[in-house]
Amino acid sequence: DIVMTQSPDSLAVSLGERATINCKSSQSVLYNSNNKNFLGWYQQKPGQPPKLLIYWASTRESGVPDRFSGSGSGTDFTLTISSLQAEDVAIYYCHQYYSNPLTFGGGTKVEIK
Amino acid sequence: QVQLVESGGGVVQPGRSLRLSCAASGFTFSDYGMNWVRQAPGKGLEWVAVIWYDGTNRYYADSVKGRFTVSRDNSKNTLYLQMNSLSADDTAVYYCARQDTAMVPPDSWGQGTLVTVSS
C-alpha cells in the first residue's frame, strides 16, 4: 500500500498570508505512460464531504479559486493557498489514486491566526 | 447537477449486517466508477471499495475484504454496500463518490450516512 504522509498536522496563518501543506508518498505516483502524477488534494469543512481541489498534482478542478495551487512530482507534493481567506478554514487531505488501495494523507487542519 | 444521496445508516449491534445505498442523479451513472469512502468520528478518510462503471471489477480495502460487498444497479442508478460481521471499528460516516476513470480521483461525493456499531 502507498502511505501518504502530510505535514504539518495543523497550521495557523494570518488572513491574506500564504499557507503551505506538504505531502509525501511512500512510492512514486508518477504514471510514466502519460507523465502525470496521480495525486489529488481535497478540502473538507466541518459537517461536509470532501471537495476535490486539485488532481494530477497541479490541475485545479473547475470552479476552484486560483489562490489554490499544487506542485510536486514523484513522491513529494505541496498544496499552497497563496492568500488565505476566512472560508479556507478546513482540513486538507492529499490522496493518491495511482494504485489500489486508494489512500489518503492524515490531513492538515488550517486555521486563522 | 450531480447528486449522490446515501441512505441506510443507523445503529447496529456488533456482528450484525447493514446495507447502504447511494442514489445517483444528474449524470450518466453507468459511465462512472463508484467508490465507498468512510470517515470514523474525528478521524481521516479511509477508502473502502470501488466498483467499475459496468460492475465487472471490484476492489476492497483489506480491512473490509470478505465482509463487505459493493454492487450497483445501473438500471436504478444506485450503488450499494452490503456490510456483514460489523464491529466497532466500522463505525464511521460512509460516503459514496463517483470516479470518471482510474486516471482521475473521485470528484463528487455524497453527504454521507452514519453507521454506528454498538451494543
Side-chain angles (χ1 to χ4, degrees), chain A residues 23 29-30 35-39 41 56-58 69-79:
Chain A
C23 175
V29 297
L30 177 63
N35 200 38
K36 291 190 182 297
N37 290 278
F38 282 23
L39 187 285
W41 289 96
W56 291 337
S58 60
S69 63
S71 62
S73 184
T75 62
D76 292 279
F77 302 91
T78 300
L79 175 70

Side-chain angles (χ1 to χ4, degrees), chain B residues 64-104:
Chain B
V64 307
K65 202 173 296 183
R67 299 188 301 122
F68 289 13
T69 302
V70 60
S71 62
R72 64 191 297 158
D73 185 337
N74 285 347
S75 69
K76 295 182 178 179
N77 292 340
T78 303
L79 173 73
Y80 302 100
L81 185 66
Q82 177 67 43
M83 305 186 294
N84 299 331
S85 303
L86 286 163
S87 72
D89 289 342
D90 298 314
T91 294
V93 173
Y94 285 74
Y95 296 102
C96 62
R98 78 169 193 178
Q99 187 173 8
D100 190 0
T101 72
M103 298 287 176
V104 292

